[in-house]
Amino acid sequence: MIIRRAKSDDAQGIAEVHVDSWRSTYQGIIPDDFLDNLSVEQRTELWKINIAKEENYVVVAENNAGQIIGFADAWKRDSNAVENASDLTSIYLLENYQGKGIGKRLFQAQFAHFKKMGYEKIFVEVLEENKTRFFYEYYGAKLVQTVQIKIGGKILNELIYVWEKVDDVIEKIESR
């Protein structure tokens, strides 16, 4: 298993994980017709742009066969006006690789980046029904706000969490 910074030619592999993960993670949460219409081709174009942006930090998990099986990305959202802060924007893994510590390694890579960049507070947004929120809570994220968003015509609660100190998160990761 290798965790490394994404390159432009990783866009399709990331897109495949993105679409597959959304379909498995959000089944029964987001309407099926929305999930069925997700496009690897469209997501590939999105990820080419995301990887190319200097302020984005995208890492991938690659299995021993060189297949991208997960990714994590981070950048400061336009809505984040907090000084010395950034956002963990996503962590996704193919379903059969979940629960094996790979998400933790992707998470760790992002927090090492946050520390290197000098960020103190980190925000993450997650749908209320997404079990990943318990992973974030395990590592000390505190709920600060709930907002309603619409995806595929359905109103969903999105939870906004914050980690107040990057060093505290790194310490927790290393101790567990």
Side-chain angles (χ1 to χ4, degrees):
M1 182 64 49
I2 297 170
I3 306 292
R4 62 169 175 80
R5 184 134 189 210
K7 303 175 294 202
S8 59
D9 60 355
D10 293 326
Q12 182 172 341
I14 293 170
E16 289 169 358
V17 171
H18 199 174
V19 169
D20 187 81
S21 296
W22 266 60
R23 288 180 177 155
S24 62
T25 301
Y26 299 121
Q27 186 177 29
I29 300 171
I30 293 174
D32 289 342
D33 60 330
F34 182 89
L35 296 174
D36 292 343
N37 286 315
L38 292 174
S39 160
V40 170
E41 293 76 27
Q42 287 176 340
R43 295 288 166 142
T44 298
E45 293 308 310
L46 169 76
W47 283 105
K48 284 179 184 175
I49 294 165
N50 286 344
I51 293 166
K53 288 182 180 176
E54 184 76 25
E55 65 275 15
N56 294 0
Y57 190 71
V58 184
V59 292
V60 296
E62 218 176 51
N63 67 13
N64 294 337
Q67 175 194 10
I68 294 173
I69 53 98
F71 70 91
D73 63 323
W75 65 80
K76 188 167 185 157
R77 295 181 193 274
D78 292 339
S79 60
N80 182 348
V82 178
E83 193 173 319
N84 222 23
S86 191
D87 295 271
L88 176 64
T89 46
S90 65
I91 296 179
Y92 288 106
L93 288 168
L94 294 176
E95 191 171 27
N96 56 338
Y97 287 93
Q98 294 173 9
K100 299 178 189 230
I102 301 164
K104 178 182 174 183
R105 290 184 57 199
L106 289 165
F107 184 72
Q108 184 174 26
Q110 289 296 352
F111 271 83
H113 170 73
F114 293 142
K115 180 163 179 69
K116 179 180 171 190
M117 298 303 292
Y119 296 123
E120 188 60 30
K121 288 184 179 190
I122 305 300
F123 293 87
V124 67
E125 298 172 2
V126 61
L127 292 180
E128 185 174 46
E129 294 181 61
N130 183 343
K131 293 180 181 115
T132 304
R133 71 188 184 104
F134 300 117
F135 174 87
Y136 299 144
E137 290 171 0
Y138 179 78
Y139 285 103
K142 303 294 181 208
L143 181 64
V144 291
Q145 187 178 8
T146 301
V147 296
Q148 290 192 327
I149 61 170
K150 186 185 279 191
I151 301 177
K154 184 176 179 183
I155 302 291
L156 300 163
N157 286 330
E158 183 173 62
L159 308 177
I160 302 171
Y161 286 90
V162 67
W163 289 279
E164 293 287 342
K165 294 186 178 181
V166 167
D167 286 337
D168 290 352
V169 179
I170 291 171
E171 187 178 306
K172 273 187 181 172
I173 293 169
E174 292 173 353
S175 71
R176 295 176 183 195

mmCIF file of all heavy atoms in Angstrom, residues 47-62:
data_model
loop_
_atom_site.group_PDB
_atom_site.id
_atom_site.type_symbol
_atom_site.label_atom_id
_atom_site.label_comp_id
_atom_site.label_asym_id
_atom_site.label_seq_id
_atom_site.Cartn_x
_atom_site.Cartn_y
_atom_site.Cartn_z
ATOM 1 N N TRP A 47 -11.485 16.144 -11.543
ATOM 2 C CA TRP A 47 -10.259 15.818 -10.805
ATOM 3 C C TRP A 47 -9.008 16.311 -11.504
ATOM 4 O O TRP A 47 -8.019 16.653 -10.847
ATOM 5 C CB TRP A 47 -10.207 14.330 -10.454
ATOM 6 C CG TRP A 47 -11.119 14.096 -9.299
ATOM 7 C CD1 TRP A 47 -12.347 13.502 -9.312
ATOM 8 C CD2 TRP A 47 -10.917 14.541 -7.963
ATOM 9 N NE1 TRP A 47 -12.911 13.569 -8.061
ATOM 10 C CE2 TRP A 47 -12.057 14.195 -7.212
ATOM 11 C CE3 TRP A 47 -9.888 15.222 -7.322
ATOM 12 C CZ2 TRP A 47 -12.183 14.491 -5.856
ATOM 13 C CZ3 TRP A 47 -10.010 15.517 -5.969
ATOM 14 C CH2 TRP A 47 -11.150 15.155 -5.252
ATOM 15 N N LYS A 48 -9.027 16.406 -12.815
ATOM 16 C CA LYS A 48 -7.892 17.030 -13.520
ATOM 17 C C LYS A 48 -7.726 18.469 -13.043
ATOM 18 O O LYS A 48 -6.611 18.922 -12.776
ATOM 19 C CB LYS A 48 -8.115 16.997 -15.031
ATOM 20 C CG LYS A 48 -7.892 15.640 -15.655
ATOM 21 C CD LYS A 48 -8.155 15.688 -17.150
ATOM 22 C CE LYS A 48 -8.030 14.312 -17.774
ATOM 23 N NZ LYS A 48 -8.393 14.328 -19.205
ATOM 24 N N ILE A 49 -8.854 19.175 -12.928
ATOM 25 C CA ILE A 49 -8.833 20.566 -12.468
ATOM 26 C C ILE A 49 -8.393 20.638 -11.006
ATOM 27 O O ILE A 49 -7.535 21.446 -10.638
ATOM 28 C CB ILE A 49 -10.221 21.218 -12.668
ATOM 29 C CG1 ILE A 49 -10.528 21.333 -14.167
ATOM 30 C CG2 ILE A 49 -10.308 22.571 -11.968
ATOM 31 C CD1 ILE A 49 -11.982 21.629 -14.485
ATOM 32 N N ASN A 50 -8.980 19.780 -10.162
ATOM 33 C CA ASN A 50 -8.646 19.796 -8.727
ATOM 34 C C ASN A 50 -7.165 19.523 -8.484
ATOM 35 O O ASN A 50 -6.532 20.182 -7.657
ATOM 36 C CB ASN A 50 -9.486 18.775 -7.963
ATOM 37 C CG ASN A 50 -10.919 19.205 -7.787
ATOM 38 O OD1 ASN A 50 -11.261 20.360 -7.960
ATOM 39 N ND2 ASN A 50 -11.778 18.254 -7.456
ATOM 40 N N ILE A 51 -6.615 18.544 -9.171
ATOM 41 C CA ILE A 51 -5.208 18.186 -8.981
ATOM 42 C C ILE A 51 -4.297 19.321 -9.442
ATOM 43 O O ILE A 51 -3.258 19.582 -8.835
ATOM 44 C CB ILE A 51 -4.876 16.866 -9.717
ATOM 45 C CG1 ILE A 51 -5.613 15.696 -9.061
ATOM 46 C CG2 ILE A 51 -3.372 16.607 -9.726
ATOM 47 C CD1 ILE A 51 -5.621 14.417 -9.891
ATOM 48 N N ALA A 52 -4.684 20.005 -10.503
ATOM 49 C CA ALA A 52 -3.856 21.070 -11.075
ATOM 50 C C ALA A 52 -3.815 22.331 -10.214
ATOM 51 O O ALA A 52 -2.867 23.114 -10.306
ATOM 52 C CB ALA A 52 -4.357 21.416 -12.474
ATOM 53 N N LYS A 53 -4.810 22.539 -9.374
ATOM 54 C CA LYS A 53 -4.851 23.752 -8.547
ATOM 55 C C LYS A 53 -3.768 23.677 -7.472
ATOM 56 O O LYS A 53 -3.723 22.741 -6.677
ATOM 57 C CB LYS A 53 -6.220 23.920 -7.888
ATOM 58 C CG LYS A 53 -7.302 24.315 -8.852
ATOM 59 C CD LYS A 53 -8.623 24.504 -8.133
ATOM 60 C CE LYS A 53 -9.715 24.896 -9.096
ATOM 61 N NZ LYS A 53 -11.014 24.983 -8.424
ATOM 62 N N GLU A 54 -2.942 24.695 -7.446
ATOM 63 C CA GLU A 54 -1.807 24.758 -6.513
ATOM 64 C C GLU A 54 -2.243 24.639 -5.045
ATOM 65 O O GLU A 54 -1.582 24.012 -4.243
ATOM 66 C CB GLU A 54 -1.053 26.076 -6.729
ATOM 67 C CG GLU A 54 0.188 26.225 -5.907
ATOM 68 C CD GLU A 54 1.357 25.404 -6.433
ATOM 69 O OE1 GLU A 54 1.390 25.090 -7.636
ATOM 70 O OE2 GLU A 54 2.230 25.083 -5.617
ATOM 71 N N GLU A 55 -3.381 25.258 -4.714
ATOM 72 C CA GLU A 55 -3.821 25.279 -3.313
ATOM 73 C C GLU A 55 -4.472 23.966 -2.860
ATOM 74 O O GLU A 55 -4.723 23.773 -1.675
ATOM 75 C CB GLU A 55 -4.772 26.455 -3.065
ATOM 76 C CG GLU A 55 -6.098 26.381 -3.802
ATOM 77 C CD GLU A 55 -6.078 26.922 -5.236
ATOM 78 O OE1 GLU A 55 -5.002 27.124 -5.819
ATOM 79 O OE2 GLU A 55 -7.183 27.132 -5.779
ATOM 80 N N ASN A 56 -4.764 23.074 -3.790
ATOM 81 C CA ASN A 56 -5.367 21.782 -3.438
ATOM 82 C C ASN A 56 -4.286 20.774 -3.098
ATOM 83 O O ASN A 56 -3.247 20.719 -3.751
ATOM 84 C CB ASN A 56 -6.197 21.237 -4.596
ATOM 85 C CG ASN A 56 -7.416 22.080 -4.892
ATOM 86 O OD1 ASN A 56 -7.661 23.091 -4.245
ATOM 87 N ND2 ASN A 56 -8.173 21.665 -5.875
ATOM 88 N N TYR A 57 -4.555 19.977 -2.097
ATOM 89 C CA TYR A 57 -3.628 18.909 -1.725
ATOM 90 C C TYR A 57 -4.402 17.598 -1.827
ATOM 91 O O TYR A 57 -5.284 17.323 -1.014
ATOM 92 C CB TYR A 57 -3.085 19.118 -0.307
ATOM 93 C CG TYR A 57 -1.954 18.182 0.013
ATOM 94 C CD1 TYR A 57 -0.701 18.348 -0.585
ATOM 95 C CD2 TYR A 57 -2.132 17.120 0.892
ATOM 96 C CE1 TYR A 57 0.343 17.479 -0.301
ATOM 97 C CE2 TYR A 57 -1.093 16.257 1.177
ATOM 98 C CZ TYR A 57 0.144 16.439 0.583
ATOM 99 O OH TYR A 57 1.181 15.576 0.860
ATOM 100 N N VAL A 58 -4.094 16.824 -2.860
ATOM 101 C CA VAL A 58 -4.789 15.572 -3.137
ATOM 102 C C VAL A 58 -3.790 14.431 -2.989
ATOM 103 O O VAL A 58 -2.715 14.471 -3.587
ATOM 104 C CB VAL A 58 -5.386 15.563 -4.566
ATOM 105 C CG1 VAL A 58 -6.188 14.283 -4.808
ATOM 106 C CG2 VAL A 58 -6.245 16.793 -4.817
ATOM 107 N N VAL A 59 -4.156 13.440 -2.184
ATOM 108 C CA VAL A 59 -3.320 12.246 -2.030
ATOM 109 C C VAL A 59 -4.146 11.021 -2.409
ATOM 110 O O VAL A 59 -5.370 11.020 -2.287
ATOM 111 C CB VAL A 59 -2.754 12.083 -0.596
ATOM 112 C CG1 VAL A 59 -1.745 13.183 -0.282
ATOM 113 C CG2 VAL A 59 -3.843 12.057 0.449
ATOM 114 N N VAL A 60 -3.446 9.989 -2.890
ATOM 115 C CA VAL A 60 -4.105 8.754 -3.274
ATOM 116 C C VAL A 60 -3.515 7.591 -2.505
ATOM 117 O O VAL A 60 -2.365 7.628 -2.063
ATOM 118 C CB VAL A 60 -3.994 8.472 -4.794
ATOM 119 C CG1 VAL A 60 -4.713 9.537 -5.595
ATOM 120 C CG2 VAL A 60 -2.551 8.341 -5.238
ATOM 121 N N ALA A 61 -4.339 6.557 -2.346
ATOM 122 C CA ALA A 61 -3.886 5.263 -1.820
ATOM 123 C C ALA A 61 -3.876 4.320 -3.008
ATOM 124 O O ALA A 61 -4.871 4.215 -3.738
ATOM 125 C CB ALA A 61 -4.837 4.762 -0.739
ATOM 126 N N GLU A 62 -2.750 3.654 -3.177
ATOM 127 C CA GLU A 62 -2.570 2.746 -4.295
ATOM 128 C C GLU A 62 -2.311 1.350 -3.739
ATOM 129 O O GLU A 62 -1.501 1.197 -2.818
ATOM 130 C CB GLU A 62 -1.327 3.220 -5.056
ATOM 131 C CG GLU A 62 -1.355 3.129 -6.511
ATOM 132 C CD GLU A 62 -0.088 3.740 -7.112
ATOM 133 O OE1 GLU A 62 1.034 3.407 -6.703
ATOM 134 O OE2 GLU A 62 -0.265 4.565 -8.006
#
